[in-house]
Amino acid sequence: MKNLCILGSTGSIGQSTLEVVRLHPEKFNIVSLSAHASIEKIVEQCIEFCPQTVVIGSAHAAQKLSLRLLEENLSAIQVNYGSEALLDIAHNPESDTVMAAIVGAAGLMPTLAAVKAGKRVLLANKEALVTSGAIFIEAVKQSGAELLPIDSEHNAIFQSLPWQEQARVGHCQLNQNGISKILLTGSGGPFRTWDFSELETVTPAQACAHPNWDMGRKISVDSATMMNKGLELIEAKWLFNVDVEDIQVVLHPQSTIHSMVQYIDGSVIAQMGNPDMRTPIAHALAYPERIDSGVAPLDFFSTGSFEFQAVDFKKYPNLKLAIEACKSGQGACTALNAANEIAVHAFLDEKIKFNDIFKINETSVKKFVSEQVSNINEVISLDTRAREFAKQLLATF
């Protein structure tokens, strides 16, 4: 039985993880859960899964959560709060597997704590690698942690690799096993068929209406701008130890082929399935075993044709910016991620327009592109400064 810590249990990935766990009570034991502020949701999870420890975002929320658990006769569950408490459950020896599903840069430090503790880390927080790349991978090497990707694209790439490369995520040598290219698929989001001129009037509701995936609001906006694909490209570079030039983004509107690996003999191996995050979650939870995820098998007789298109960078300038940031170095990637989080939240709060997200991101990357980071404290410092700079930019829109 695996003992799980789920960082971000009330978010989309966290809830999907618990759905898979629910199907296999004999295989998984929930040791700890965390949420930012969703008290009622995490109370429901505590009632069902009885973790030892729960971490919430603030002292006030912790007080409310403790009272609710007392009402449910669950006072034995320990309630802690804040960033230090997240680190505690991430490296606590009671758990052997950590689902890193906290959205954004906030997930970096607890994910890194799990890595340093040598855990099996199920990486759904792409920002950890985007913001700290080489530092993060070096920590994986030093601790012997096992890194398994959860993003559907990276999980698809992982499944399409030979077993030798699956065993060394973070320090792969793909050319030694005849691999020439990674093909990273993306749906193109809800505006794939829109004219560029129409994007100026996009609303948050429209941006969050993804045609295939059910995701959180921030990630949905990132999908609409294709920044999500840009962050995934940076993550893929570090997970699979490849150059940016060895990764090609391919638009695939149906989201049925989740990504592909191209071999030098002309073969292309793809991982396919219905667009449901429970599939990669179940794969990583039980790896190398296969278990039921609760997802219906792909029905080829009702599945439409497979389409593939090149990316129009005029329509998706954020993706182009992410590719250039990846080529420029860690400072540009850290600043890009920080600015994008500020810009997307401002858009969701209707403070800026959809196209302004790119303007804030581009200006922020130019500001910090020459920054060098050599340790995690420098990463955090740069992240903080980039966020402050992006917030100042908001006043100009």
Side-chain angles (χ1 to χ4, degrees):
M1 178 174 282
K2 291 185 174 69
N3 294 310
L4 304 182
C5 164
I6 304 179
L7 301 172
S9 67
T10 60
S12 175
I13 296 295
Q15 292 185 72
S16 293
T17 301
L18 290 173
E19 287 182 34
V20 176
V21 168
R22 188 176 292 120
L23 295 174
H24 305 279
E26 77 288 353
K27 292 183 179 293
F28 304 107
N29 172 50
I30 302 298
V31 174
S32 51
L33 302 172
S34 86
H36 179 63
S38 302
I39 291 174
E40 288 307 314
K41 203 172 279 187
I42 206 165
V43 167
E44 292 175 7
Q45 293 174 352
C46 287
I47 292 171
E48 181 174 3
F49 296 101
C50 294
Q52 297 175 13
T53 308
V54 174
V55 173
I56 199 82
S58 66
H60 177 67
Q63 186 178 29
K64 291 178 65 175
L65 178 57
S66 295
L67 289 173
R68 284 290 292 112
L69 292 178
L70 183 62
E71 292 171 3
E72 300 292 342
N73 295 317
L74 293 172
S75 58
I77 297 176
Q78 184 175 357
V79 177
N80 295 322
Y81 67 90
S83 56
E84 288 298 319
L86 280 177
L87 300 183
D88 288 342
I89 62 170
H91 66 65
N92 190 310
E94 293 290 328
S95 64
D96 50 59
T97 302
V98 175
M99 169 59 78
I102 296 175
V103 175
L108 169 59
M109 293 308 291
T111 305
L112 193 57
V115 164
K116 289 181 175 179
K119 311 260 186 170
R120 168 176 279 197
V121 179
L122 313 185
L123 189 65
N125 174 276
K126 64 177 66 66
E127 291 83 0
L129 277 171
V130 171
T131 57
S132 67
I135 298 167
F136 189 93
I137 292 301
E138 182 59 28
V140 172
K141 292 179 183 177
Q142 292 296 325
S143 69
E146 183 181 16
L147 203 56
L148 294 174
I150 295 298
D151 271 352
S152 61
E153 294 82 359
H154 303 98
N155 182 266
I157 294 163
F158 179 91
Q159 292 195 52
S160 301
L161 294 175
W163 66 267
Q164 297 96 325
E165 300 303 333
Q166 291 183 354
R168 52 186 182 189
V169 171
H171 49 282
C172 296
Q173 299 294 327
L174 299 190
N175 58 352
Q176 291 183 6
N177 278 290
I179 294 165
S180 60
K181 186 178 290 186
I182 286 173
L183 301 170
L184 193 66
T185 61
S187 70
F191 308 132
R192 181 181 57 84
T193 60
W194 289 35
D195 290 329
F196 177 74
S197 59
E198 297 178 278
L199 298 178
E200 187 69 22
T201 59
V202 162
T203 67
Q206 289 172 318
C208 290
H210 195 282
N212 301 330
W213 295 93
D214 181 15
M215 305 181 292
R217 281 165 59 81
K218 193 269 181 184
I219 297 176
S220 294
V221 175
D222 282 347
S223 178
T225 65
M226 283 199 78
M227 174 58 81
N228 202 42
K229 205 55 50 183
L231 299 179
E232 287 171 5
L233 180 141
I234 298 170
E235 183 183 8
K237 165 187 164 55
W238 292 111
L239 282 172
F240 306 113
N241 192 28
V242 294
D243 294 330
V244 180
E245 292 76 14
D246 297 326
I247 308 171
Q248 182 178 354
V249 177
V250 179
L251 291 189
H252 170 52
Q254 292 78 22
S255 297
T256 305
I257 297 175
H258 298 140
S259 274
M260 300 169 278
V261 172
Q262 181 175 300
Y263 289 77
I264 59 175
D265 63 2
S267 300
V268 176
I269 296 181
Q271 188 268 339
M272 303 170 64
N274 286 316
D276 192 311
M277 286 306 299
R278 289 175 296 172
T279 296
I281 288 169
H283 173 264
L285 276 174
Y287 180 81
E289 184 185 351
R290 296 277 182 169
I291 60 173
D292 178 19
S293 66
V295 179
L298 187 63
D299 183 354
F300 286 93
F301 301 107
S302 62
T303 299
S305 61
F306 295 156
E307 299 175 64
F308 302 98
Q309 301 167 6
V311 176
D312 178 356
F313 286 113
K314 181 181 179 182
K315 186 182 294 185
Y316 301 112
N318 279 286
L319 174 56
K320 181 67 172 178
L321 181 62
I323 293 171
E324 294 305 318
C326 191
K327 293 177 181 178
S328 298
Q330 190 59 67
C333 294
T334 303
L336 174 66
N337 181 75
N340 184 64
E341 288 190 18
I342 298 300
V344 169
H345 287 302
F347 168 69
L348 288 170
D349 290 339
E350 301 185 15
K351 295 178 180 177
I352 61 173
K353 294 180 180 179
F354 183 76
N355 288 341
D356 293 336
I357 296 173
F358 169 71
K359 296 173 186 176
I360 290 171
N361 290 343
E362 182 185 40
T363 305
S364 299
V365 169
K366 287 180 178 178
K367 170 73 173 177
F368 297 101
V369 67
S370 61
E371 292 270 350
Q372 302 294 318
V373 292
S374 58
N375 59 59
I376 201 65
N377 290 330
E378 291 177 356
V379 169
I380 294 170
S381 172
L382 175 55
D383 177 84
T384 301
R385 286 182 286 125
R387 287 171 191 275
E388 289 303 316
F389 181 75
K391 288 176 183 177
Q392 292 170 13
L393 289 178
L394 292 178
T396 67
F397 289 90

